[in-house]
Amino acid sequence: MKAWHDLVGAVGIAAALASAQAATLTISCTSVGVDFETCKRHSAQWAARTGHTVKVFTLPNSSTDMLSLLRQMFAARSSGLDVLNIDVVWPGVFKDHLLDLKPYSKGAEKDHFPAIVANNTVAGKLLAMPNMADAGMLYYRKDLLRKYGLQPPTTWQELHAAARKIQDGERAAGAADFHGFVFQGKAYEGLSCNALEWISSFGGQIVDAGGQVTVNSPATVQALKMAASWPGHIAPKGVLNYAEEDARGVFQNGKAAFMRNWPYAWSLSQGADSAVKGKVGVAPLPRGGSEGRHAATLGGWQWAVSKYSKHPEAAADLVMYLSSREIQKERAVKHSFNPTMPELYKDKEVLAANPFMAEMYEVMLNAVPRPSAVTGARYPEVSQALWNTAHDVLSGRLGAEDGARRLEGRLKRIRRTRW
Ligand code: GLC
C-alpha cells in the first residue's frame, strides 16, 4: 500500500517538474516566400522533440516594417517574444536587447562563415546564430534570350539593351504588359540593397571601412543616372513600389525578361505553379561597364534570443536547432535558401537542387556588406537616407549629381562627429 502511494507521489512530482520545465516560447517568423511555413514547421519539430511549446508570431514582409515593430517591442522590454529572426544589418541596432549565445552554442558557430559570425558578434558577444545567407543575383529567361539571339548580360549596359530588345519584341507580339527588367524600387531596405549593388558595380562606396562618408563620387553619379533610365523604359513605372515579392510575382508570371532578386526566388520559380518553370537562368548581377565589377549585396537572416525572454535556455536551444546543419540543408534543398555553412556548398543534394549554389559560394565570399558594422545603431538612418535618395532619383524628382551630393550631406549630418 505504502509502495503504491509512494509511486503515485513520485509520478505526480515528475509531472509537476516536467510542466515547470516545459516552456512556452514565442518565435517571430518572417514571411517572404516560404520562410514562414518552414519557420513554423521546424519550430514545431523542435517542440515535439523537447516537450516545449512554440507559438509563432508573423512578421510583416518588409525588413523595414519588421524593424519598427521589433524596436517597439524592445523599447517596451517585452517578454512576449523569445526567439527572433533578425536581418544581417541589425546586430548593432539591437545589441542591448539580445542575449549572448556563447554560453549555449558550444562552439557551433565555428561551422558557419566566419564573416557572418563576426557580423553577429558585437563587443565580444555572439548576439545571433546564422540562419541563411543572401546575395543579390540576376534571374533571366533562358528561352527569351535564345529567341532574341542574346547572351546573359555581363554589364548593365548590355542588360539595358537586351531588356529593351526583348520588351519591344514581346510587346509587338501582343504581350502589352511585358517588361524588360524588374527589381526592388520601393522606398525601403530592399532598395538600399539594390542601390548599393549599382554603386558598387561602378567601383563606388557609401561609407568606407573607416567610417568616412564616400558616397559623393563619379561612381555613384553614374550608377544613379543609369537606374533613373530604367522606370518607364525597360522597367514598369510601378517598380517604384516593388519589394521582393512584387518583382517575383511579375517574373514568375512570365511578364519580365530579367529580375534582380535573392536566391529564395529560384525554387519558387521552379514550382509546379510557376509560368516560367524550366525557363529560368541565373547569373551574377552585371558590372558597371567594362571597368566595373559584379557586385551583390550581402543579405541574410540570423536567429537571436531576446534578453527579456523568461526562458533563455529553451530559447537558445531552439536557436541552435534552427541554425543546425540538418535544418540548413533541408531549407537549401527544398527552398533554395543559401546555407551559412561553407561545407553545404559542396553537398551533392544541395547542388543538385540548386545548380547555381556552387558559384554562390564565391558570390557569398565577395558579397558587399551594407555599412551596418561601421555605422552600428545609426545604420537604419543611413539606409533610409540611401533609399530615399535612390527613390527620388528613380522617380525623376532628383538628378543623379544632386542625389549624390544630398546623400553625402545627409550621411554627414547623421554621423555628426562619429557613428
Ligand atoms: C533580404 C535580405 C536582407 C535584406 C532584405 C531587404 O531579406 O536577406 O538582408 O535586408 O532582403 O529587403
Side-chain angles (χ1 to χ4, degrees), residues 1-21:
M1 202 53 191
K2 186 166 184 295
W4 165 244
H5 186 257
D6 280 350
L7 185 65
V8 171
V11 170
I13 290 165
L17 271 179
S19 72
Q21 285 163 354

Side-chain angles (χ1 to χ4, degrees), residues 23 25-27 29 35-57 83 303 317-319 321-322 326-327 330:
L25 300 182
T26 303
I27 182 169
C29 297
D35 216 9
F36 181 76
E37 184 271 317
T38 62
C39 174
K40 196 172 154 190
R41 182 157 44 86
H42 293 141
S43 301
Q45 273 169 14
W46 174 82
R49 288 183 190 191
T50 58
H52 296 300
T53 305
V54 186
K55 287 191 192 151
V56 174
F57 175 80
V83 174
W303 291 116
D317 193 59
L318 173 55
V319 161
Y321 179 67
L322 292 175
E326 175 190 347
I327 301 294
E330 189 200 309

Side-chain angles (χ1 to χ4, degrees), residues 32 61-64 87-89 132-135 184 188-191 193 244 260 262 298-301 370:
V32 171
N61 252 345
S62 143
S63 168
T64 300
D87 199 335
V88 67
V89 284
M132 59 181 271
D134 253 344
Q184 293 77 44
Y188 80 121
E189 186 64 29
L191 176 53
C193 297
E244 284 81 4
R260 183 269 175 210
W262 309 100
L298 178 69
W301 291 84
R370 283 160 276 174

Side-chain angles (χ1 to χ4, degrees), residues 28-31 36 57-61 66 69-70 84-85 301:
S28 71
C29 297
T30 52
S31 51
F36 181 76
F57 175 80
T58 322
L59 285 175
N61 252 345
M66 285 182 221
L69 202 89
L70 292 172
L84 59 156
N85 200 6
W301 291 84

Side-chain angles (χ1 to χ4, degrees), residues 124-241:
K125 292 185 182 154
L126 178 64
L127 298 181
M129 282 295 287
N131 164 11
M132 59 181 271
D134 253 344
M137 52 195 221
L138 182 71
Y139 289 79
Y140 60 86
R141 287 281 300 278
K142 285 192 292 197
D143 57 327
L144 292 178
L145 288 191
R146 211 174 304 121
K147 178 171 168 188
Y148 291 91
L150 298 162
Q151 293 298 318
T154 60
T155 63
W156 290 111
Q157 291 77 357
E158 283 171 21
L159 176 126
H160 197 125
R164 189 71 217 209
K165 186 167 180 186
I166 301 175
Q167 180 178 290
D168 287 349
E170 293 302 292
R171 287 188 185 177
D177 56 350
F178 191 91
H179 300 285
F181 181 39
V182 289
F183 57 97
Q184 293 77 44
K186 184 174 158 176
Y188 80 121
E189 186 64 29
L191 176 53
S192 290
C193 297
N194 282 247
L196 179 62
E197 282 160 357
W198 311 331
I199 295 171
S200 310
S201 78
F202 284 97
Q205 277 176 319
I206 313 283
V207 173
D208 72 12
Q212 292 306 312
V213 175
T214 46
V215 74
N216 189 4
S217 65
T220 300
V221 173
Q222 266 179 302
L224 291 178
K225 260 195 195 139
M226 165 187 89
S229 74
W230 296 336
H233 297 279
I234 56 166
K237 288 211 173 101
V239 79
L240 285 156
N241 218 11

